[in-house]
């Protein structure tokens, strides 16, 4: 008798920052009762801890040791996730632009990426996982049931980041955010390991003209056509 192995469904959301992946992922996970992986937060925590501990962002070996033993916990609520490092809530520091920039630098190290693979796989638990990042569909979950790649113009992404950060009380400058987004895109799209690119079997969704509710409805429709929702 052959036993059918039940697979744990994964939906991957990849794309550059400001395309709405995080908001979309949290909404989908809450609606479906699935787990949520914010993989960018892992790279952000590596960057943040490296800075706090005086680890050089050019020292790939030291960064990968830090990544391999990252003392981080995610406490996911209805609308956001608190990020806890060694007992202290560091969510605000992890979300700010400096941590995003440090994350993009540490994420270019192959050894850092390798050190975080298992930790990301561990998020795949019943009843399913929504995974948000850059290489979810290409490297981490290549067998995902549905892969979405979100895009949007850099201008609209900068505007979204601006609103989001202002709402959270950060003092930000729109022109500076647009420049940061362009620099980060350049690094994320061009790096040698796991560059930001759609998987060949990804559904590409341009969100420049779409509100979050419309994007969510489209993804849910795609999930339904594949028997996932
Ligand atoms: O999604 P985010 O802005 O939190 O990601 C921060 C940085 O981390 C981003 O510039 C690229 C990197 N990153 C990555 O290389 N791979 C991932 N799966 C997620 C993020």
């Amino acid at each position: 008798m052959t036993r059918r192995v039940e697979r744990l469904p994964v939906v991957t959301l990849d794309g550059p920052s400001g395309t709405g992946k995080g908001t979309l992922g949290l909404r989908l996970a809450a609606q479906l009762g699935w787990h949520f992986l914010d993989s960018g937060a892992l790279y952000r925590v590596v960057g943040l801890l490296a800075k706090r501990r005086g680890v050089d962002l050019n020292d790939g070996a030291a960064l990968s040791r830090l990544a391999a033993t990252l003392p981080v916990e995610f406490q996911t609520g209805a609308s956001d996730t608190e990020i806890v490092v060694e007992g202290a809530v560091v969510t605000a520091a992890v979300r700010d632009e400096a941590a995003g920039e440090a994350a993009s630098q540490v994420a270019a190290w192959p050894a850092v990426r390798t050190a975080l693979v298992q930790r990301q796989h561990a998020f795949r638990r019943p009843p399913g996982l929504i995974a948000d990042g850059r290489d979810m569909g290409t490297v981490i979950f290549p067998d995902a049931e549905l892969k979405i790649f979100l895009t949007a113009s850099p201008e609209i992404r900068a505007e979204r980041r601006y609103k989001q950060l202002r709402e959270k009380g950060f003092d930000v400058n729109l022109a500076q955010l647009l420049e940061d987004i362009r620099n980060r895109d350049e690094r994320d799209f061009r790096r040698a390991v796991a560059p930001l690119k759609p998987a060949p079997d990804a559904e590409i969704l341009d969100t420049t003209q779409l509100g979050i509710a419309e994007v969510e409805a489209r993804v849910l429709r795609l999930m339904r056509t594949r028997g996932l929702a």
Side-chain angles (χ1 to χ4, degrees), residues 39-40 43-44 103-104 107 113 133-136 184 188 191:
S39 61
Y43 293 95
R44 284 170 179 264
S104 177
R113 306 197 70 87
R134 303 293 190 288
D135 61 342
M136 298 294 96
R184 199 137 30 110
D188 294 346
R191 69 174 171 236

Side-chain angles (χ1 to χ4, degrees), residues 40-61:
L42 293 173
Y43 293 95
R44 284 170 179 264
V45 172
V46 175
L48 185 77
L49 279 185
K51 283 185 159 178
R52 287 190 178 172
R53 293 181 183 179
V55 175
D56 189 343
L57 297 187
N58 294 309
D59 186 346

Side-chain angles (χ1 to χ4, degrees), residues 33-206:
W34 285 21
H35 295 277
F36 177 63
L37 165 61
D38 172 4
S39 61
L42 293 173
Y43 293 95
R44 284 170 179 264
V45 172
V46 175
L48 185 77
L49 279 185
K51 283 185 159 178
R52 287 190 178 172
R53 293 181 183 179
V55 175
D56 189 343
L57 297 187
N58 294 309
D59 186 346
L63 290 171
S64 71
R65 283 194 295 276
L66 184 58
T69 56
L70 207 60
V72 65
E73 248 182 81
F74 294 93
Q75 296 172 358
T76 301
S79 63
D80 206 355
T81 303
E82 291 291 6
I83 302 166
V84 180
V85 169
E86 291 170 330
V89 176
V90 293
T91 317
V94 167
R95 298 261 171 257
D96 77 15
E97 287 305 289
E101 177 57 29
S104 177
Q105 288 184 47
V106 305
W109 287 102
V112 170
R113 306 197 70 87
T114 305
L116 292 174
V117 169
Q118 258 194 350
R119 187 184 282 261
Q120 294 175 84
H121 284 167
F123 279 79
R124 191 175 198 167
R125 294 195 303 270
L129 174 68
I130 307 284
D132 158 358
R134 303 293 190 288
D135 61 342
M136 298 294 96
T138 48
V139 177
I140 305 296
F141 302 109
D143 62 339
E145 278 69 15
L146 175 63
K147 301 177 184 178
I148 307 284
F149 192 89
L150 298 176
T151 63
S153 72
E155 290 76 16
I156 195 88
R157 290 192 279 130
E159 252 174 59
R160 287 177 188 159
R161 284 295 286 160
Y162 180 78
K163 280 194 197 137
Q164 203 177 40
L165 290 167
R166 287 294 289 248
E167 273 164 22
K168 290 187 177 168
F170 291 107
D171 182 21
V172 279
N173 170 297
L174 184 59
Q176 184 62 50
L177 275 179
L178 180 57
E179 194 183 321
D180 290 349
I181 278 189
R182 291 211 159 105
N183 288 340
R184 199 137 30 110
D185 277 3
E186 173 79 11
R187 195 177 306 123
D188 294 346
F189 277 109
R190 283 176 185 272
R191 69 174 171 236
V193 241
L196 175 54
K197 64 160 192 244
D201 51 347
E203 302 280 345
I204 315 264
L205 255 178
D206 184 339

